[in-house]
Amino acid sequence: KEIMFGTSVFNEAGRVFSPRYRQANLSCYFPVSTNDTIQALAAFTLAYEDVKAAFTYYLQHNNNGRPIIIASHSQGTTHAKRLLKEFFEGKVLQTQLVAAYLVGIPLEPDYFTAIKPCITPYQTGCACSWRTYKEGYKPDYVLKEKFTAIVTNPLTWDEGMPAADRKMNKGGLLLNFNKLLKNVTNAKVNEGVLWTEKPHFFGSLFLKTKNYHVADLNFFYLSIRKNAKQRSLAFRKK
């Protein structure tokens, strides 16, 4: 079993392969003119071509028919969505997809047709996605979206359980990945985003941001780690 676009949270489920690529600048997500839009698209295309080249090499030299997890965050998700569309959606390679964890960037409900949203913890061949904000907050760019993004609760992984108390959180990590904390935060799906209360850790009193983008994976570290293994085992049993 192999993992592309992974981090340490996924290394219990399989080997991690992570591409080096020339990232587009953050400003590319917020173009202010037609010329900026053209340049932004060119920057994203350049970055994606690096990712695509790395994945093609991986398929040719490392995969050997093994199951695959696609895991990404932030700009990585922008490219991972495109990669899934080009290499997996409706293709033979889709039969090797354990799951896709597309985090930090919205996943439009109609982006894929053959790859369905993950709605149970053991479902395979599906896609998970979430963006984390403080409860009650949605930034302007989310409010302006003309769709309701797919959101997976990373504590329950169950469409029928959209909210989870922080007691269900068996372990999250702080920014430096140096301390595992139980019950660090809850998780609740709310119309295109994931809401959470202010996290519980020493010093969180000074945390002023309402956008928890940098902690999309950290807050739910052990839960994601466990789920990747659950889906992998479920895939093997198919």
Side-chain angles (χ1 to χ4, degrees), residues 12-229:
E12 189 177 1
R15 293 190 297 169
V16 174
F17 290 80
S18 184
R20 295 173 65 91
Y21 67 94
R22 292 166 285 184
Q23 287 193 349
N25 189 277
L26 178 62
S27 63
C28 292
Y29 283 103
F30 307 99
V32 295
S33 68
T34 300
N35 187 56
D36 287 341
T37 299
I38 293 172
Q39 293 185 7
L41 291 174
F44 283 127
T45 296
L46 177 68
Y48 175 72
E49 289 302 321
D50 285 348
V51 172
K52 178 180 177 179
F55 186 66
T56 299
Y57 182 92
Y58 158 79
L59 289 178
Q60 292 172 348
H61 297 89
N62 300 108
N63 178 255
N64 298 315
R66 295 183 179 92
I68 301 171
I69 290 175
I70 297 291
S72 60
H73 182 254
S74 198
Q75 185 176 148
T77 294
T78 297
H79 306 310
K81 287 166 60 180
R82 186 171 174 180
L83 189 87
L84 284 159
K85 196 89 162 177
E86 181 173 353
F87 285 85
F88 291 81
E89 173 96 314
K91 312 287 198 311
V92 173
L93 199 59
Q94 188 175 337
T95 62
Q96 293 174 228
L97 182 65
V98 175
Y101 294 81
L102 306 173
V103 186
I105 294 290
L107 177 57
E108 302 86 344
D110 59 351
Y111 188 84
F112 298 118
T113 53
I115 300 174
K116 304 301 182 182
C118 296
I119 59 174
T120 66
Y122 294 92
Q123 184 181 349
T124 61
C126 56
C128 305
S129 185
W130 64 90
R131 297 171 289 172
T132 316
Y133 302 99
K134 186 177 180 181
E135 188 167 359
Y137 172 72
K138 290 181 183 178
D140 288 343
Y141 55 84
V142 172
L143 294 174
K144 292 177 182 177
E145 291 173 352
K146 299 186 184 304
F147 57 86
T148 301
I150 291 169
V151 182
T152 311
N153 187 313
L155 290 180
T156 69
W157 308 100
D158 191 331
E159 185 182 52
M161 298 177 65
D165 187 88
R166 67 188 182 95
K167 292 179 181 178
M168 290 185 65
N169 194 329
K170 302 303 181 184
L173 288 177
L174 299 185
L175 185 61
N176 293 326
F177 281 77
N178 60 354
K179 190 174 183 181
L180 193 65
L181 300 172
K182 287 185 178 181
N183 310 329
V184 67
T185 192
N186 66 333
K188 180 166 63 175
V189 176
N190 184 277
E191 296 181 349
V193 302
L194 186 74
W195 272 352
T196 179
E197 62 193 17
K198 194 169 186 176
H200 295 253
F201 62 86
F202 182 76
S204 64
L205 175 67
F206 302 102
L207 186 66
K208 302 301 182 184
T209 183
K210 297 179 181 179
N211 186 339
Y212 297 144
H213 180 75
V214 297
D216 280 323
L217 298 175
N218 296 54
F219 280 168
F220 315 107
Y221 190 87
L222 283 190
S223 181
I224 299 168
R225 193 172 177 84
K226 177 182 177 182
N227 184 252
K229 194 169 183 179

